[in-house]
Amino acid sequence: MAHFASFLRHLCILSLFTLFTINPALSTDLGNEFSILSFDSDHFRGDYAPPSPPPSPPEPQPPSLSCSEGLNATGSFDTICELNSSLSLENDVYIHGNGSFYILPGVNVSCPHLGCSIVVNISGDFSLGSNSVIIAGLVSVNASNVSLFTGSVINVTGMAGAPPPMTSGTPGGEQGAGGGHGGRGASCVTDNKKLPDDIWGGDPYAWSSLEEPKSYGSKGGSTSKEVKYGGEGGGRIWLEMRNSIVVGGSVLADGGDGGIKGGGGSGGSIYIKGLRMTGRGMISAIGGNGFAGGGGGRISINVFSRRDEPEIFSHGGRSLGCPENAGAAGTYYDAVPRRLIVSNHNLSTRTDTLLLEFPKLPLWTNVDIQDHAKALVPLFWSRVQVRGQIRLSCGAVLSFGLQHFASSEFELMAEELLMSDSIVKIFGALRMFVKMHLMWNSKMLIEGGVDALVATSLLEATNLMVLRESSVIHSTANLGVHGQGFLNLTGPGDVIEAKHLVLSLFFSINVGPGSFLRGPLDRSSSNFTTPQLNCELPNCPVELLHPPEDCNMNSTLTFTLQICRVEDVIVEGIITGSVIHFHWVRDVVVHSSGVITASGLGCTGGLGRGRFFVNGLGSGGGHGGKGGDGFYDGSFIEGGVSYGNADLPCELGSGSGNDSLAGATAGGGIIVMGSLERSLSSFTLAGSLRADGETFGENFGEKAGRTISNIGPGGGSGGTILLFVQTLALGDSSTISTVGGHGSPSGGGGGGGGRIHFHWSDIPVGDAYLPIASVRGNINTGGGFGRGNGRAGQNGTITGRACPRGLYGIFCEECPLGTFKNVSGSARALCHACPSFQLPHRAIYVTVRGGVTETPCPYKCVSDRYHMPNCYTAVEELVYTFGGPWLFCLILLGLLVLLALVLSVARMKYVTADELPAAVPARRGSRIDHSFPFLESLNEVLETNRNEESQSHVHRMYFMGPNTFSEPWHLPHSPPEQITEIVYEDAFNRFVDEINGLAAYQWWEGSVYSILSILAYPLAWCWLQSRRKQKLQQLREFVRSEYDHSCLRSCRSRALYEGIKVAATTDLMLAYVDFFLGGDEKRAGLPPRLHQRFPMSIIFGGDGSYMAPFSLQSDNILTSLMSQSVPPTIWYRLVAGLNAQLRLVRHGHLKLTFSHVTSWLETHAKPTLGAFGIHVDLAWFQPTASGYCHFGIVVYAMEVESLPSELDGQGAFFPPEHQSRMPRNHWENQIEHLRLIDLWISQKKFSGGILHTKGLRTLKEKKAICYPFSFILYNAKPIGHQDLVGLVISILLLGDFSLVLLTLLQLYSISLLSLFLVLFILPLGLLFPFPAGISALFSHGARRSAGLARLYALWNLTSLINVAVAFICGLIHYTTHSNKKHSNFQSWTFSMDESEWWVLPCGLVLCKLVQSRLIDCLVANQEIQDHSLYSNDPELFWQS
């Protein structure tokens, strides 16, 4: 019924308005200009529109003038008529014909009478020559083509006839106002009772015909009743072409000037129609200048094609009496694009151009209001609808409705609304529907009025709405802004504000830095624009928790600012409101400069209002916390009470309670993000989110030069921040605050803190859990400070939704490590400590996604090297699988013994009895006693009948050097004197060069050896031996088949490639060349007998190292030679005993160990050999440049009677059969003996020296880098018990391998890097001893078994480096992790990270050291099976 009554009231007002506009006599003052403002506003509340003119009368059709007689021109209108002289007309002229009409240059045609018409209607062309002029009131040309050449003018300025009847374009009165037509005429009159916009001159008219304007302009008003000073209106110009028009001149229909005493006339009408238009002339229908400027006229151009763009003007005339208020702009209508342009040519004005009803079919395309034009849509209800753009620019103003009657409703529909430095004013309500709304330094001001029917405006921009450069959308009523695209407030000064503001349906809203969204209006003093808040409601408004889904503007709801159904909201500016609600929003991001605030916008009163004394001083308001007590004159007044529900707060903060007094404080407002049904997906805050209570200012204002007293109320309480969110991220500088305001300085109490609640919409649990909050900023609900003696307010509350099992706290975080929670709730106390007895050693509790909900609590081992569930290392798992360390050791030991027994049995089966060394009886007639083991002579070949070879032997020449890559074998160049008679010296030197070159090694062979020595020395030793063997084979092949023996004198030897042979010891360290006679030499004394060879040097093979001990090799030649003086059995026994002693000589300890050899020679060898006239001494031979020398023995015999004569080398020794009868007292003088021997050796050119006791003291030894290992690995005496030694070695070998595996497991438990280091420093040295030991134990033959055993010992010693690396890795790991071990762990363990980490490495070292000694015993047992070789009793030695 209320709506129907309002409609009837509006209908009555419209009828009354129509009656007055039709009958002007009903006006109250016929002498004044017509104005709707003359009616009382209480009786006139309807629409206003200027009266529409009646249809124009039909054009007059007088008889056509002739070309020659009527115009004094030449030609005919049916062909060509040329006017070549000026013509002044007194009456209207009508010209008709089928030809063309040309007005030649410089010709003037004028009809100087108001309203005089010149009408040309021809079938041909019309042209107006250069500088030609047509002056009349009406100029109408209808031709095929029209040409207005440069300088030509069609001028109807100030020549208007009578305006249309029933119009009020000419103002009345004596104000000197301008005439109206396309726009209102200006008025310079001021009236304090009226608004400036309500004062104007002549009214506009002919809106309905603006597409084809035919009206004259109106005359301007006068400042005198007697004299009409006003300028005349502009005339009419109608140019209609069937083809084209050239506008090179001017087409003028301006209003006439009124001067200082009269108003300017309004512009006339111009209509141009054709297919094409060219030229850059001018088309003008501007208002005339005067005391008040006239309104602009109307121009319409209907031309399909334009090549050039002429200047077109339709602005109002200048006002001399009020320059800031020119006449209103006229209209320019471009018919082809259907575009309306209202431009005032940058002339400022307060006078409107009326825009009445817009066409509905077809729609206009564009409407441009520009250059300070001021347009008005004055109807009660109107729809402004275009198909394209509505563009306002350069100071333009577009108004809807009348300011006094803000009850209108308007619709604006377009594709785009573009505003630049312009203003849109709406008095009433606006429904705007555009796709794009762009504002640049512009304003849209909506005055809603008091009518509830028009209290809500709706702005809808479907695709984009952008505000830039301090653009403002302001509404004093309700405002809804909708869209489906983007809303962007780009920077400082951009504002959207309203009493109630709803932003909805956008994809994204961006509030840029310095921009504002505000609802309600800022500090409004009007009760009409201040929203009514529900301050006294004890219950929460239902729309805060369950808002409506439609997002429509509803002023009855609690919200003052709502953002609804928006995907993303980005806040870099400020959002302000009393009740701010984000509903159905996906993501909200508040940057560091962004603020969302409801501070001080709550209730002045409220449920927790403060109390106050009579003088106005009071306590703080309460909310989440009680308000602080106020203090005055020794008395306290109690603060406001606490109220509301902390678990789901939705109340406004309360104020000081004395809103009637100056300086009253208000509580904080409400900020709600999301709802119970629609929560925010994410909220990211780097700025501020505030609902603080208002603080009383110390000097907050001055009135009439007087400062308000500091005595005032307490602070307001904090408001409510209610967040329905899924995830939350608070930056370092972010703040969420509902703190109370501070009290007045003279004793006001502080406001209580507000309430903050986080209502998590969906808390994932279990494996789906993700942290829902990242909080690094501040959350503050503190109470405000009391000033003076006033007390501070109590703190507010911060709560969160009850967390599911496993989570706790406001932000539902996972319970702390080592705790579990099996009930719902948020208290920290609900997270109980996990039972400690369920946590294994070396284990730590681990976080579980979603928290721990039950016991036992999940844990993990402190390192990946430990294994669940007991966090044992791989070794410990193995140990404890078999019952613990001690039981495991017993089982392992038993298993090792069992396996060793199996290996021993297998070895005994594999190594057959005939392969084991055994005593073999000597054969009769044999010169070799085969009962001796193989080491009794290093030659096991049975004696053959090679007497011819030994009988032809001349000399044995030893190679110098140890046959290494750095010092290979080489022969001296000078031939020894023993062979000088059988060789050519030069050829011999060439032979030496060739054989020395062949004996040298390639560089890469030494490089391979160096690399292998670093990586794995046993492999380097094998490589060296293989190269030595190959080198010996090359030397033998060279001498046997390649060398031509050219150095020998014997032709037979050269022909048969005989006479030279190369051989070497079994250790391949000593080689020698034997020279033989060819049989065709005819020299006496060859071959020499034994006594002729004395002193004879016999060099040891080997170098005294473990792998190559010293040894004396006695081959057939040497045995045959020695048999000339010594029986073979004696010689073989001597060689075997000497080799047994040489085994004990150690490189690096030569002084000590050689002394035992010299002692043995003195006690065992010399007495027995002396009986045969033979004497032996230890000596050194053939020193090289590097200091290397060979060791061996010197064998010589000396006759007592002839010793001095023999020193010169010419005598002979006694034959062997007489040597036993030589007296022994000859050698009793030892010193004399040594002196004579040295002299003898020097005369024999013997290269070397005797190693007697004195010589040993001077012996120099070089300590190699492997010298320390000689204390571990060295040759020893045999101990017997071969099978037992083999069994023990088998046990140790298996134990060693087991310890290696356990150590590797430990290292793997430490880290893969440690395992890698131990395995490859030296590479695989830790694993090779086991296969090497198995190979040695299961090898065939004693000699082969001894050699492999030595290689096994070498691998075993090399592996100590790997063990040392393991020890270092364990030590480093222990020192870095010792602080992490458990104090109650088992006292004995195989763990490398406990205090017993050294057990396995040390056990491995001990096992390897014991193996080394047993291997030495094994080798000695295999090489020396006759223990009497080491007998200290010479008799026992020689009898065995």
Side-chain angles (χ1 to χ4, degrees):
M1 292 299 294
H3 292 286
F4 182 73
S6 177
F7 174 77
L8 290 178
R9 184 176 74 247
H10 293 160
L11 183 61
C12 293
I13 294 176
L14 180 61
S15 302
L16 181 62
F17 171 73
T18 305
L19 178 63
F20 273 88
T21 55
I22 294 176
N23 189 358
L26 297 178
S27 176
T28 57
D29 186 4
L30 296 177
N32 295 332
E33 62 184 15
F34 177 76
S35 174
I36 63 172
L37 300 178
S38 59
F39 293 94
D40 185 29
S41 61
D42 293 335
H43 299 286
F44 182 69
R45 295 291 302 278
D47 299 343
Y48 163 70
S52 300
S56 301
E59 297 292 335
Q61 299 293 335
S64 175
L65 296 180
S66 64
C67 177
S68 56
E69 296 180 359
L71 299 179
N72 294 326
T74 59
S76 169
F77 288 120
D78 291 327
T79 55
I80 296 176
C81 178
E82 294 182 346
L83 180 62
N84 53 12
S85 60
S86 298
L87 184 64
S88 180
L89 303 175
E90 298 295 333
N91 297 310
D92 298 340
V93 174
Y94 177 73
I95 298 173
H96 179 75
N98 295 323
S100 300
F101 181 32
Y102 302 141
I103 300 178
L104 299 182
V107 175
N108 295 335
V109 177
S110 65
C111 182
H113 304 292
L114 298 178
C116 179
S117 64
I118 298 177
V119 179
V120 179
N121 188 355
I122 57 179
S123 300
D125 299 336
F126 173 81
S127 67
L128 184 62
S130 299
N131 300 319
S132 297
V133 178
I134 298 178
I135 298 176
L138 167 64
V139 177
S140 176
V141 178
N142 191 327
S144 177
N145 298 291
V146 174
S147 298
L148 306 179
F149 293 101
T150 304
S152 63
V153 178
I154 297 178
N155 190 359
V156 294
T157 299
M159 299 296 293
M166 308 302 295
T167 61
S168 55
T170 301
E174 292 81 32
Q175 289 84 15
H181 181 198
R184 284 173 172 171
S187 175
C188 293
V189 175
T190 59
D191 190 344
N192 293 333
K193 297 180 180 180
K194 299 180 180 179
L195 296 173
D197 291 345
D198 293 337
I199 300 176
W200 64 86
D203 287 322
Y205 52 88
W207 168 264
S208 61
S209 61
L210 64 82
E211 298 183 6
E212 296 182 359
K214 300 178 181 179
S215 301
Y216 289 111
S218 299
K219 183 180 178 63
S222 175
T223 58
S224 172
K225 289 184 179 182
E226 292 79 10
V227 181
K228 303 298 183 181
Y229 292 109
E232 298 294 337
R236 296 167 49 200
I237 299 176
W238 187 284
L239 304 178
E240 186 172 356
M241 292 69 60
R242 289 180 289 279
N243 291 312
S244 63
I245 180 173
V246 177
V247 183
S250 300
V251 180
L252 307 178
D254 301 336
D257 293 338
I260 193 64
K261 295 184 178 181
S266 62
S269 298
I270 298 177
Y271 178 71
I272 300 175
K273 182 178 181 180
L275 296 180
R276 291 180 301 277
M277 183 170 69
T278 60
R280 297 182 179 276
M282 182 174 67
I283 301 173
S284 176
I286 64 176
N289 302 326
F291 179 76
R298 299 191 186 276
I299 300 174
S300 177
I301 298 178
N302 188 356
V303 175
F304 181 78
S305 174
R306 299 188 194 182
R307 178 183 301 176
D308 306 309
E309 191 68 31
E311 294 180 314
I312 301 173
F313 302 100
S314 61
H315 58 82
R318 301 178 183 274
S319 298
L320 303 179
C322 48
E324 75 284 355
N325 185 22
T331 61
Y332 161 42
Y333 180 73
D334 194 349
V336 172
R338 302 189 62 79
R339 176 187 179 194
L340 176 65
I341 299 174
V342 180
S343 172
N344 212 35
H345 200 58
N346 288 323
L347 298 178
S348 62
T349 182
R350 298 191 302 268
T351 308
D352 298 320
T353 299
L354 300 188
L355 305 181
L356 303 178
E357 185 176 0
F358 278 54
K360 296 180 176 59
L361 191 67
L363 297 173
W364 285 345
T365 302
N366 297 326
V367 174
D368 291 353
I369 303 173
Q370 58 193 27
D371 300 332
H372 289 84
K374 191 169 183 292
L376 172 65
V377 180
L379 304 180
F380 176 76
W381 181 91
S382 179
R383 172 181 290 174
V384 176
Q385 183 176 5
V386 297
R387 192 171 56 189
Q389 296 179 347
I390 297 179
R391 183 185 304 168
L392 287 79
S393 61
C394 300
V397 178
L398 174 61
S399 300
F400 291 87
L402 302 177
Q403 186 171 1
H404 286 297
F405 312 106
S407 301
S408 304
E409 294 184 82
F410 302 95
E411 289 186 1
L412 189 152
M413 304 177 69
E415 288 289 313
E416 299 176 2
L417 174 59
L418 308 180
M419 300 175 62
S420 175
D421 298 308
S422 57
I423 299 175
V424 173
K425 297 181 180 180
I426 299 96
F427 301 102
L430 175 67
R431 304 288 190 272
M432 182 187 78
F433 303 94
V434 298
K435 290 185 178 179
M436 185 180 298
H437 184 191
L438 305 181
M439 299 179 66
W440 181 286
N441 191 27
S442 301
K443 296 181 180 180
M444 179 176 285
L445 308 177
I446 303 174
E447 298 291 335
V450 298
D451 194 339
L453 293 177
V454 293
T456 300
S457 295
L458 174 64
L459 309 180
E460 181 173 335
T462 306
N463 295 339
L464 181 64
M465 177 180 287
V466 179
L467 282 71
R468 296 181 65 90
E469 299 296 327
S470 301
S471 296
V472 176
I473 297 178
H474 170 92
S475 174
T476 60
N478 307 322
L479 176 62
V481 182
H482 307 313
Q484 299 176 13
F486 295 87
L487 171 60
N488 192 357
L489 284 73
T490 57
D494 296 328
V495 179
I496 299 178
E497 58 182 1
K499 177 181 178 180
H500 289 88
L501 177 62
V502 175
L503 309 177
S504 63
L505 304 179
F506 286 98
F507 178 80
S508 176
I509 296 177
N510 183 15
V511 183
S515 56
F516 288 85
L517 290 179
R518 187 181 293 126
L521 303 178
D522 187 26
R523 299 295 182 183
S524 175
S525 59
S526 171
N527 291 330
F528 169 70
T529 58
T530 302
Q532 300 299 317
L533 302 177
N534 299 319
C535 295
E536 304 299 330
L537 286 179
N539 299 321
C540 181
V542 66
E543 61 268 15
L544 288 178
L545 305 179
H546 305 280
E549 299 291 335
D550 53 13
C551 296
N552 293 326
M553 169 56 70
N554 187 349
S555 60
T556 62
L557 300 180
T558 307
F559 315 123
T560 62
L561 192 155
Q562 186 184 37
I563 298 177
C564 182
R565 288 201 179 191
V566 176
E567 291 291 316
D568 302 317
V569 179
I570 301 173
V571 182
E572 298 178 85
I574 300 176
I575 298 178
T576 304
S578 296
V579 181
I580 302 174
H581 187 223
F582 291 77
H583 175 50
W584 212 334
V585 177
R586 186 182 65 181
D587 300 322
V588 176
V589 178
V590 182
H591 292 274
S592 58
S593 61
V595 178
I596 301 176
T597 177
S599 298
L601 295 177
C603 301
T604 306
L607 298 176
R609 63 170 62 90
R611 299 174 176 83
F612 50 90
F613 295 102
V614 176
N615 61 355
L617 192 146
S619 60
H623 182 200
K626 181 177 176 295
D629 297 342
F631 177 84
Y632 178 73
D633 196 18
S635 299
F636 286 96
I637 186 169
E638 188 176 2
V641 299
S642 173
Y643 59 93
N645 180 10
D647 293 331
L648 199 62
C650 52
E651 303 86 9
L652 292 162
S654 298
S656 58
N658 51 352
D659 52 353
S660 61
L661 300 178
T665 58
I670 301 176
I671 300 176
V672 181
M673 291 194 172
S675 63
L676 288 173
E677 293 82 10
R678 306 284 183 179
S679 61
L680 269 68
S681 296
S682 68
F683 178 43
T684 303
L685 179 66
S688 299
L689 184 66
R690 296 182 176 274
D692 301 335
E694 186 177 7
T695 296
F696 181 85
E698 295 184 36
N699 293 300
F700 55 86
E702 295 187 1
K703 296 182 180 180
R706 178 173 56 87
T707 302
I708 297 179
S709 172
N710 287 335
I711 297 178
S717 64
T720 296
I721 295 179
L722 178 58
L723 304 180
F724 296 93
V725 296
Q726 294 182 13
T727 60
L728 173 69
L730 303 183
D732 294 330
S733 60
S734 62
T735 300
I736 299 179
S737 173
T738 58
V739 300
H742 308 320
S744 59
S746 298
R755 298 189 187 277
I756 299 175
H757 179 73
F758 299 92
H759 198 89
W760 313 109
S761 60
D762 184 15
I763 304 174
V765 296
D767 292 338
Y769 174 78
L770 289 174
I772 59 178
S774 172
V775 180
R776 298 194 301 271
N778 298 319
I779 302 176
N780 192 359
T781 59
F785 299 132
R787 298 182 182 179
N789 292 323
R791 295 174 178 171
Q794 295 180 354
N795 294 335
T797 60
I798 304 174
T799 58
R801 184 181 177 183
C803 301
R805 298 193 310 163
L807 307 176
Y808 83 103
I810 297 174
F811 305 107
C812 289
E813 303 168 292
E814 296 166 343
C815 280
L817 198 62
T819 62
F820 73 97
K821 176 173 169 282
N822 54 7
V823 295
S824 177
S826 300
R828 170 64 177 82
L830 296 177
C831 295
H832 305 287
C834 298
S836 59
F837 65 88
Q838 296 178 346
L839 181 68
H841 301 288
R842 292 203 209 95
I844 57 174
Y845 290 113
V846 295
T847 58
V848 176
R849 179 175 289 187
V852 182
T853 59
E854 58 186 9
T855 57
C857 298
Y859 60 88
K860 71 173 183 178
C861 301
V862 295
S863 174
D864 293 337
R865 64 182 182 274
Y866 303 125
H867 305 288
M868 296 291 285
N870 296 317
C871 292
Y872 289 152
T873 63
V875 177
E876 291 170 345
E877 282 192 336
L878 179 62
V879 169
Y880 286 101
T881 301
F882 292 95
W886 298 109
L887 184 57
F888 174 78
C889 290
L890 292 176
I891 294 175
L892 180 62
L893 182 59
L895 184 62
L896 293 178
V897 173
L898 179 62
L899 291 177
L901 291 173
V902 173
L903 284 177
S904 298
V905 173
R907 178 171 172 269
M908 294 177 65
K909 295 292 184 181
Y910 181 73
V911 181
T912 58
D914 57 337
E915 292 175 332
L916 293 174
V920 179
R923 292 178 295 174
R924 293 184 179 182
S926 175
R927 301 184 60 187
I928 300 177
D929 189 354
H930 290 277
S931 63
F932 297 105
F934 76 94
L935 274 180
E936 291 183 357
S937 170
L938 295 179
N939 178 24
E940 287 186 332
V941 180
L942 298 179
E943 181 181 6
T944 61
N945 296 322
R946 300 184 63 186
N947 291 328
E948 69 280 0
E949 184 179 77
S950 61
Q951 291 175 1
S952 63
H953 183 268
V954 177
H955 180 68
R956 173 167 291 179
M957 186 177 182
Y958 291 97
F959 281 87
M960 302 174 66
N963 193 19
T964 60
F965 296 109
S966 60
E967 191 171 0
W969 282 329
H970 60 280
L971 292 174
H973 283 79
S974 299
E977 60 182 11
Q978 290 86 346
I979 62 172
T980 54
E981 296 182 0
I982 66 172
V983 299
Y984 299 108
E985 184 174 357
D986 293 340
F988 176 80
N989 290 335
R990 290 193 297 271
F991 167 71
V992 169
D993 289 335
E994 291 182 16
I995 206 162
N996 285 348
L998 187 61
Y1001 291 98
Q1002 299 293 327
W1003 66 269
W1004 60 269
E1005 295 176 302
S1007 300
V1008 172
Y1009 177 78
S1010 300
I1011 294 173
L1012 291 178
S1013 296
I1014 297 174
L1015 299 179
Y1017 183 74
L1019 297 181
W1021 170 258
C1022 295
W1023 170 257
L1024 176 60
Q1025 290 300 99
S1026 66
R1027 294 293 94 192
R1028 284 172 170 174
K1029 185 176 181 180
Q1030 183 181 11
K1031 189 60 64 179
L1032 176 61
Q1033 186 67 25
Q1034 291 175 354
L1035 293 175
R1036 283 177 172 174
E1037 291 295 328
F1038 173 75
V1039 174
R1040 181 184 299 121
S1041 59
E1042 298 179 17
Y1043 181 58
D1044 57 2
H1045 292 64
S1046 60
C1047 67
L1048 298 177
R1049 295 178 185 270
S1050 172
C1051 296
R1052 184 175 182 274
S1053 297
R1054 291 198 302 271
L1056 298 177
Y1057 280 30
E1058 294 180 352
I1060 301 176
K1061 291 185 178 181
V1062 176
T1065 58
T1066 56
D1067 53 33
L1068 302 176
M1069 293 192 68
L1070 178 65
Y1072 48 86
V1073 180
D1074 288 318
F1075 291 89
F1076 301 90
L1077 293 176
D1080 55 349
E1081 297 91 346
K1082 296 181 180 181
R1083 287 178 174 80
L1086 293 177
R1089 301 291 292 175
L1090 178 63
H1091 64 275
Q1092 293 176 323
R1093 301 174 187 261
F1094 288 158
M1096 185 175 66
S1097 59
I1098 303 176
I1099 299 179
F1100 300 151
D1103 59 354
S1105 63
Y1106 179 77
M1107 299 300 294
F1110 288 122
S1111 63
L1112 174 62
Q1113 179 173 336
S1114 179
D1115 57 359
N1116 292 329
I1117 295 175
L1118 184 59
T1119 303
S1120 298
L1121 289 175
M1122 293 304 298
S1123 65
Q1124 298 177 18
S1125 298
V1126 180
T1129 55
I1130 299 298
W1131 175 250
Y1132 281 125
R1133 187 63 176 175
L1134 174 68
V1135 171
L1138 181 59
N1139 285 337
Q1141 297 298 324
L1142 290 176
R1143 286 186 73 260
L1144 304 181
V1145 176
R1146 287 187 286 170
H1147 187 75
H1149 306 271
L1150 296 181
K1151 293 181 182 180
L1152 176 62
T1153 53
F1154 266 144
S1155 64
H1156 299 297
V1157 177
T1158 57
S1159 299
W1160 185 86
L1161 290 175
E1162 292 292 336
T1163 58
H1164 290 66
K1166 290 180 179 181
T1168 303
L1169 295 179
F1172 301 98
I1174 301 298
H1175 196 85
V1176 294
D1177 275 314
L1178 189 65
W1180 58 273
F1181 309 96
Q1182 296 178 281
T1184 63
S1186 63
Y1188 179 82
C1189 64
H1190 292 289
F1191 294 94
I1193 58 173
V1194 176
V1195 182
Y1196 56 91
M1198 301 186 70
E1199 186 178 341
V1200 178
E1201 294 83 356
S1202 60
L1203 181 61
S1205 62
E1206 296 296 333
L1207 290 176
D1208 58 3
Q1210 300 299 322
F1213 287 90
F1214 290 109
E1217 60 270 16
H1218 299 289
Q1219 290 180 4
S1220 61
R1221 300 192 297 269
M1222 291 182 63
R1224 297 185 180 184
N1225 58 0
H1226 175 74
W1227 311 109
E1228 292 177 358
N1229 191 343
Q1230 186 71 18
I1231 298 176
E1232 181 66 18
H1233 162 70
L1234 294 177
R1235 185 185 65 80
L1236 293 175
I1237 292 300
D1238 291 338
L1239 178 61
W1240 190 12
I1241 291 176
S1242 64
Q1243 291 186 3
K1244 288 289 185 176
K1245 299 180 180 179
F1246 183 80
S1247 179
I1250 300 298
L1251 289 177
H1252 43 72
T1253 305
K1254 181 180 178 181
L1256 287 175
R1257 288 198 297 266
T1258 60
L1259 183 64
K1260 295 181 179 179
E1261 298 183 74
K1262 290 183 178 180
K1263 298 294 192 299
I1265 191 172
C1266 56
Y1267 171 74
F1269 293 115
S1270 63
F1271 292 97
I1272 302 174
L1273 202 63
Y1274 55 88
N1275 291 303
K1277 295 180 181 180
I1279 63 173
H1281 309 289
Q1282 181 75 357
D1283 294 334
L1284 179 60
V1285 172
L1287 176 61
V1288 175
I1289 289 179
S1290 300
I1291 295 174
L1292 291 176
L1293 181 62
L1294 293 172
D1296 177 272
F1297 188 68
S1298 301
L1299 290 176
V1300 166
L1301 294 180
L1302 292 176
T1303 303
L1304 292 180
L1305 285 176
Q1306 283 183 329
L1307 295 171
Y1308 175 76
S1309 301
I1310 292 177
S1311 66
L1312 289 177
L1313 177 61
S1314 300
L1315 178 63
F1316 179 85
L1317 292 176
V1318 172
L1319 281 178
F1320 294 97
I1321 303 178
L1322 301 170
L1324 304 179
L1326 201 61
L1327 301 178
F1328 270 34
F1330 181 75
I1334 294 296
S1335 177
L1337 290 176
F1338 284 84
S1339 60
H1340 292 274
R1343 177 179 296 180
R1344 176 176 175 81
S1345 177
L1348 292 177
R1350 290 181 186 274
L1351 188 62
Y1352 162 42
L1354 198 60
W1355 275 113
N1356 185 65
L1357 185 65
T1358 304
S1359 64
L1360 287 176
I1361 299 177
N1362 300 76
V1363 178
V1365 175
F1367 189 90
I1368 294 172
C1369 291
L1371 178 62
I1372 293 174
H1373 182 75
Y1374 174 73
T1375 55
T1376 56
H1377 294 80
S1378 59
N1379 57 339
K1380 298 182 180 180
K1381 64 181 181 179
H1382 290 270
S1383 59
N1384 57 346
F1385 195 65
Q1386 289 90 343
S1387 60
W1388 196 91
T1389 179
F1390 286 96
S1391 174
M1392 289 282 291
D1393 64 345
E1394 303 296 334
S1395 60
E1396 294 83 10
W1397 59 272
W1398 49 269
V1399 171
L1400 282 180
C1402 291
L1404 199 54
V1405 169
L1406 181 61
C1407 180
K1408 290 184 178 295
L1409 293 178
V1410 175
Q1411 280 186 86
S1412 298
R1413 300 310 313 131
L1414 289 178
I1415 294 171
D1416 295 340
C1417 296
L1418 177 66
V1419 172
N1421 287 339
Q1422 289 179 333
E1423 292 182 346
I1424 307 294
Q1425 296 190 7
D1426 185 0
H1427 294 182
S1428 63
L1429 293 175
Y1430 288 102
S1431 174
N1432 293 326
D1433 185 1
E1435 297 295 335
L1436 180 62
F1437 171 77
W1438 289 107
Q1439 290 176 3
S1440 299

